[in-house]
Every structure is written in structure tokens, then in C-alpha cells.
Amino acid sequence: MSKTQQRELPAFDWDRADNKGFGSGYSDAERNRMLELYDNTLSEVKEKEVVMGTVVGITDREVLLNIGFKSDGLVPASEFRDMPDLKMGDEIEVYVENQEDPNGQLVLSRKKAKVITAWQKIQKALDEDLVIDGFVKRRTKGGLIVDIFSIEAFLPGSQIDVKPIRDFDIFVGKKMEVKVVKINYANDNVVVSHKVLIEKDLEAQRAQILNNLEKGQVLEGVIKNMTNFGVFIDLGGVDGLLHITDISWGRISHPSEVLHLDQKVNVVVLDFDEDKKRISLGMKQLQAHPWDALEENIEVGSKVKGKIVNVADYGAFLEIMPGVEGLIHVSEMSWSQHLRNPQEFLKVGDEVEAVVLTLDRADRKMSLGIKQLTEDPWTRPELRTKYAIGTKHKGVVRNLTNFGLFLELEEGIDGLVHVSDLSWTKKVKHPSDFIKVGEELEVIVLELDIENRRLALGHKQLEENPWDTFETVFAVGTIHRCTIISKNDKMATLELPYGIEGFSSLKNLAKEDGTFAEVGETLDFKVTEFSKDEKRIMLSHTKSWQEKNEPVKEQKPKAATAKPASTSNQSDRGATLGDLDALAALKEQLEGRN
């Protein structure tokens, strides 16, 4: 009972007391009045509530608190470790766990009172959008742990500041103002933000910057983020993009080559979209264009040195000074006509020398050449003698086309071998049937045109034309043993002696038994037509048996000296012994040439 409550009780009348016992002299009405006065001095206390208590006793193990109940409550001294200066009379919030335990003692808890009070304060901070003080205890995955009202709250890394934070450790152990943005009672989880405080401060600043923004305006900013295509710069609450092509007049592959995070830079406003709040920035525009500093003595024909900064399908770019580049087209890299991929000749980083072919200072364009550093092989005086008509050479096949192949005799000197000039005997439909790219081929010069840089070559001309001999061997009316190698809807192709081909119409494949010869059969065929110029021999199997009763001599080569046999001794195929000897000799001669 407090002193104030004691002063409010009426004075006790000792004269009315008797010896029957203390208080026995009171009437029932007076006793009831006394009990009522006593009950009024006590507070109504409910369990599971937070109430205020006054410290009335302190020991090493416990703290005695009066909450206005009929008995005082005890709280372990360990719950007051955060109050080293605790003294008598201090008022403390406590939680009523039990009005009376088995020992009749009032059970209180300061720890639970702190938790309940803290959650009430956190809820109030969320409802009323209050700014509260927190203490950063430690960092965790993705953010920081902040103590607010003795409750651990999570501060995501994205909510620390308006700019990306790369080192969370610098905030550990420091106080920080935050706002509660989310409460999850099921998991006892609280999320706070420091960024929202900064954003409000920056909103007015952002609006002012956007209102005063103009093209050409120079601003100072801090690099907050870096990507492959550029950097984002904080202009004081507003972000702008500095594209990689606007960082430097020279070529760079990544912004990190010249810039770094958190660096302060001066930039110029190139363009901005007020609705989308997009700002395009430039840094190289603050410097004079390198073309303006290009030496005056550089002109067409001048030799320049530089470094290859880019290689494309059509050529390579040579940087002769930062921001000044020239294109070396693939056709200007080598006198050879077969350089198709510039990467076979140059690569990024190569330091090379080149000759200026064209120069336009107004449009800031320059074309360069490398092959001009060496002599044009077509201008050499000995070319007419070296590649005179009839001279023989060896070259490498560089390209195949439907009409022929291109042969490189030396670097820059190419010649064309037409498909018709590959073989006397074989009908070559495509050069790939005869030779492959990269293989060597021996040729003879058929035509030389230095002015137009044209060289016509032939391969079959290295040998004599066997059709001069074939004219006597396969004379019209002679019969030969042939094999059918293919057929189509009109013609059959035959393999004749000496590896040449002949042709027969389908109707001329009729056999004596009424059937028609098929592919793979070897039969006698009679020559019906011979064309030396067109290199074509037409034959017929049908005529070979229809006219077998008519004696026909097979003509022998002109070079043969054997005496002709009489028609009566002619074989069924119409070939004499002398003819056979001549054919054998011709076959050996042709095989030796091949």
C-alpha cells in the first residue's frame, strides 16, 4: 500500500476496540466499509497483459515490483542486464504471466513485455509511416539484419540506397534510420527500408533536374552500374545512360577499359525523353574530334601505321590514332584474287603498315591498302616472257566453277582452265569430277592478256589430240566391242576401247532375239557416225547383226603397215589381224601418255 493510499484511510478509533480481539468491535456495516476502502487501493490486474510496475526491491537474483496488486511480483535480475543503473522507484513495463502461482506469488516477465511492446511499436510505425532508429547488427545473404525495438528486421540490399551497394560490411555496427515496409506475424518477420527515405529526399531534386535539363548541358555524375553496352550514371537522383560508343573516340570493347564504378565524371546531355525519363549522355563529345588533329601531311599515297581494332567479313579497320580509323577492304589485302576471309590475313591487335588509297576529311573516312606495299605482279616486265603462249607451268587449284577452275600460278597471278580444256577423252560436266581445290595441276598457256589481267590455260593440250588417231580407228562402218554403262529415256552411253565414250539410240539396242540390251551388257556395235570436232561417236548394235551377212572391213590405223587380208578371211566382227596389231599399238601409245 502506497503512502498516498494510507493517507486516504480514515483515522482508526481505538476507543471502540475491546478485548474480544482486533477489529471485533466493528459492526458488519463498518467492516464492509473498511473492506471496500481497502479494495479501492488495489488495481485490477489481468493475466497476459502488459502493465507498469514500480521497483520496490533489488537483490542479486531478483527484482521486486509493485504493480498495485494485492501482492508484489518477482522478476529475475537477468532480465535487467540492459539496465545497469536500475534503482528503487524506477517504473518498468512488465508482462503478467500468472496472478498467483502454486506458492501464491505474482509471476511477472519483463522480457515478454519488451517483445509485445516492440511488436506494438513496429505495427504503429507501419500504420503511421514513421521513421524509426535501427542498429545494424550483421550482414546476411542479400542484405542486413537491423535491430528495431529489440526485434531483428531484414533490410534487403536493394533497399539500402538508391544506388547499388557492393559492400554491405561498411554499415555493420552503425545506426540507420529506416521505415517498416512489411510485417509477417506468421513468421515473425519484419522488412524495413532505408531507400524510401532517400527517395523522398531525391524526388524534389529529381524534378528540379528534369525541369532544367537541356541538350548540350554538362553535368557531373557518379557511375553506379556498368554493362557491356555502356554505364548508368547517377546525376543526383536521375539516371542517364552513357553508351559505350559515346565514351571514347577510340574503340573499346568494354567500358571497364577506361571507367570504373563510383567514379565521378563529367558528361554532356545528348538527348532525353521527358515522359519516359530517359537521358542519353556522352563523354567523348567533351573532347575535340581526333580527325581535327589529323596531320596535314597525311594524304592519298601516304604510308601509315596502326593497330587492327576490328575484323569484319568485308575487311578490317586500322586505327592509326584513337578515333581515326581506315578500312582495309579484303580486296586490298593481297594481290591474290582468292583471299575471301580477312581473318585469314589479319586479326585484332595486329600492328601493320598500310597505304592511304582515299581520304575524305569532311566525312572523316579513309580507305587503306596493304597489297600496295608490294609490287603488282602483273606489272613485272618479265611477265610476257615467263607466261608466253605455249609455256608450261604448275599451279594450285583455288576455286571451282561450273565453267572451269581458277589456278594460282603465283601470288597475284591466276589463270582460268575452261572445263572443255581438261581432257581430250573424258566428258567433264563439272571440274570437281576431275580435280579438287588445293590440288596441283600442270597446264600450258593458251592466251595472255596483261592489260585485262587474263590468263587462259589448258591441261589437255599437254598431250596430242588422240581424236586424230580415233578418226581412223573408229571409222564409220567398223564394228567394236562396247559395254553399256548407262541409259536414259533417249540415249545409251557406251564404253569404247581406249576409255572413250560413244552413244547409241535406244532403238539401236535391239538384239537379234527381239529383246533390247541392258546396262552392263557387252556387245558388238557398228559405228554409224564419227565427229572429230564434236568428239562424238554414234553406234548401233542392231546394224551389227542385221548387216552381218554383208562383209565390212574394219579400217585399220594409217600408221599400220600390215597387208590387208581378203574379205573372205574377215572375222564376224570385221577386224583383220593387221587391224588388231594396230589397235594394240595405239592402245599402248595412249596408255603411255596417260
Side-chain angles (χ1 to χ4, degrees):
M1 185 181 300
S2 65
K3 295 179 180 180
T4 304
Q5 291 171 332
Q6 291 174 354
R7 287 196 297 268
E8 292 176 352
L9 293 177
F12 184 70
D13 189 357
W14 292 97
D15 294 336
R16 298 184 59 183
D18 55 24
N19 57 1
K20 292 182 180 181
F22 181 75
S24 60
Y26 287 99
S27 64
D28 292 340
E30 291 173 330
R31 185 179 291 108
N32 291 334
R33 181 171 173 269
M34 291 292 291
L35 290 173
E36 183 181 353
L37 290 172
Y38 177 72
D39 289 339
N40 289 336
T41 64
L42 301 176
S43 301
E44 184 179 357
V45 176
K46 296 181 180 180
E47 294 182 354
K48 314 305 179 187
E49 285 188 352
V50 177
V51 298
M52 291 297 297
T54 303
V55 177
V56 295
I58 301 175
T59 68
D60 293 338
R61 299 178 60 186
E62 297 172 321
V63 175
L64 186 65
L65 292 105
N66 180 6
I67 63 171
F69 194 53
K70 60 183 179 180
S71 61
D72 294 333
L74 294 175
V75 178
S78 61
E79 296 188 15
F80 294 90
R81 289 175 180 171
D82 59 333
M83 299 180 66
D85 298 329
L86 183 68
K87 61 184 181 299
M88 300 286 289
D90 286 347
E91 292 187 347
I92 306 294
E93 285 185 332
V94 290
Y95 176 76
V96 181
E97 291 195 74
N98 197 341
Q99 290 184 354
E100 188 175 352
D101 65 4
N103 297 325
Q105 180 67 49
L106 173 64
V107 181
L108 305 175
S109 172
R110 179 172 180 261
K111 181 178 180 181
K112 291 184 178 180
K114 289 173 62 179
V115 172
I116 293 174
T117 303
W119 280 103
Q120 291 173 346
K121 293 179 180 179
I122 290 172
Q123 184 64 52
K124 181 180 179 182
L126 176 64
D127 296 339
E128 300 180 10
D129 195 28
L130 301 177
V131 179
I132 56 178
D133 291 328
F135 179 80
V136 181
K137 297 178 65 175
R138 64 183 183 277
R139 69 167 298 173
T140 187
K141 184 179 180 181
L144 301 170
I145 298 299
V146 181
D147 185 314
I148 53 171
F149 307 121
S150 300
I151 299 295
E152 290 189 347
F154 177 59
L155 174 58
S158 61
Q159 294 297 315
I160 297 176
D161 205 335
V162 292
K163 59 183 179 181
I165 301 299
R166 285 167 286 279
D167 184 10
F168 293 168
D169 292 330
I170 60 175
F171 299 99
V172 177
K174 297 181 180 179
K175 290 183 179 181
M176 181 183 291
E177 289 185 336
V178 295
K179 277 190 175 184
V180 178
V181 294
K182 183 179 180 181
I183 300 176
N184 188 339
Y185 286 105
N187 299 324
D188 292 336
N189 184 25
V190 182
V191 180
V192 296
S193 172
H194 178 68
K195 177 181 177 181
V196 294
L197 302 178
I198 303 175
E199 286 178 333
K200 285 192 174 182
D201 295 337
L202 291 176
E203 191 63 36
Q205 185 178 351
R206 182 184 294 112
Q208 183 178 0
I209 293 176
L210 291 174
N211 289 335
N212 298 330
L213 204 62
E214 294 180 357
K215 291 183 181 180
Q217 186 177 7
V218 178
L219 302 173
E220 183 182 67
V222 179
I223 299 175
K224 61 181 292 187
N225 194 17
M226 192 171 292
T227 66
N228 291 330
F229 57 84
V231 296
F232 289 94
I233 297 180
D234 182 2
L235 301 174
V238 179
D239 290 345
L241 173 62
L242 173 61
H243 197 270
I244 187 171
T245 57
D246 291 313
I247 294 176
S248 170
W249 288 115
R251 284 181 184 258
I252 58 175
S253 57
H254 194 275
S256 59
E257 295 178 14
V258 293
L259 300 173
H260 57 82
L261 293 171
D262 300 325
Q263 178 182 353
K264 286 186 177 180
V265 293
N266 289 328
V267 290
V268 60
V269 178
L270 302 179
D271 196 6
F272 69 95
D273 187 329
E274 189 172 353
D275 296 331
K276 298 180 180 180
K277 297 182 180 179
R278 292 180 181 175
I279 305 174
S280 298
L281 305 173
M283 194 165 70
K284 71 180 184 181
Q285 289 79 3
L286 296 175
Q287 303 172 355
H289 200 289
W291 271 88
D292 298 335
L294 187 64
E295 298 178 7
E296 292 295 333
N297 59 356
I298 295 180
E299 54 188 15
V300 174
S302 300
K303 294 182 180 180
V304 293
K305 291 183 179 181
K307 182 175 66 174
I308 301 296
V309 292
N310 188 31
V311 179
D313 293 337
Y314 52 86
F317 289 90
L318 182 71
E319 183 182 62
I320 63 175
M321 60 183 289
V324 178
E325 299 175 4
L327 172 63
I328 307 174
H329 194 269
V330 61
S331 62
E332 304 297 339
M333 292 182 181
S334 171
W335 291 112
S336 173
Q337 301 298 313
H338 304 288
L339 180 63
R340 294 290 178 262
N341 189 351
Q343 294 181 349
E344 298 175 0
F345 197 82
L346 296 170
K347 62 180 182 296
V348 174
D350 286 349
E351 294 187 0
V352 298
E353 187 178 26
V355 175
V356 178
L357 303 180
T358 64
L359 179 63
D360 189 336
R361 293 178 180 269
D363 290 339
R364 295 168 178 171
K365 291 181 179 180
M366 180 190 307
S367 63
L368 307 171
I370 295 178
K371 71 181 184 182
Q372 288 77 10
L373 296 171
T374 58
E375 183 184 10
D376 183 354
W378 282 94
T379 61
R380 296 203 305 266
E382 71 274 12
L383 198 68
R384 292 185 181 275
T385 303
K386 183 176 181 179
Y387 296 106
I389 295 175
T391 56
K392 297 178 182 180
H393 306 273
K394 275 188 178 180
V396 179
V397 178
R398 293 300 186 188
N399 191 25
L400 301 177
T401 67
N402 292 329
F403 55 85
L405 61 87
F406 287 95
L407 199 71
E408 185 178 50
L409 302 178
E410 61 177 278
E411 184 177 353
I413 301 295
D414 296 342
L416 172 65
V417 182
H418 195 271
V419 65
S420 62
D421 291 319
L422 290 174
S423 174
W424 288 113
T425 58
K426 294 181 181 179
K427 186 175 182 180
V428 183
K429 295 181 179 179
H430 192 277
S432 60
D433 299 333
F434 188 85
I435 199 169
K436 293 180 174 58
V437 173
E439 293 182 350
E440 281 192 343
L441 185 68
E442 190 174 2
V443 292
I444 188 171
V445 177
L446 304 179
E447 180 185 349
L448 175 64
D449 185 348
I450 294 180
E451 287 71 21
N452 295 313
R453 298 172 181 259
R454 291 167 56 183
L455 192 61
L457 307 171
H459 173 69
K460 71 180 184 181
Q461 288 81 1
L462 294 171
E463 300 176 350
E464 293 182 6
N465 187 354
W467 285 88
D468 294 337
T469 304
F470 292 158
E471 188 175 14
T472 61
V473 175
F474 300 103
V476 175
T478 58
I479 296 176
H480 304 272
R481 200 73 172 170
C482 304
T483 301
I484 303 173
I485 57 177
S486 66
K487 289 172 62 177
N488 55 31
D489 56 349
K490 293 182 179 180
M491 286 285 190
T493 303
L494 312 176
E495 182 182 7
L496 280 68
Y498 316 115
I500 63 174
E501 293 180 350
F503 302 94
S504 173
S505 62
L506 297 183
K507 68 178 182 179
N508 285 315
L509 296 180
K511 296 194 289 187
E512 194 170 1
D513 60 3
T515 61
F516 285 84
E518 298 294 337
V519 174
E521 291 189 63
T522 301
L523 304 168
D524 287 340
F525 281 83
K526 187 174 185 178
V527 177
T528 60
E529 180 185 343
F530 181 91
S531 176
K532 175 183 175 181
D533 295 334
E534 297 180 6
K535 298 180 179 57
R536 185 180 63 184
I537 304 175
M538 299 298 297
L539 303 101
S540 171
H541 170 66
T542 303
K543 289 186 178 182
S544 70
W545 59 264
Q546 283 180 342
E547 302 173 1
K548 64 181 179 180
N549 294 325
E550 299 178 9
V552 178
K553 291 184 179 180
E554 180 176 338
Q555 296 184 13
K556 56 185 178 180
K558 293 180 180 180
T561 59
K563 294 181 179 180
S566 63
T567 56
S568 60
N569 294 330
Q570 189 176 2
S571 66
D572 293 340
R573 291 181 297 173
T576 66
L577 292 175
D579 291 335
L580 294 177
D581 292 340
L583 289 174
L586 178 60
K587 181 178 180 181
E588 290 178 359
Q589 182 182 7
L590 291 175
E591 288 178 348
R593 289 178 179 177
N594 291 332

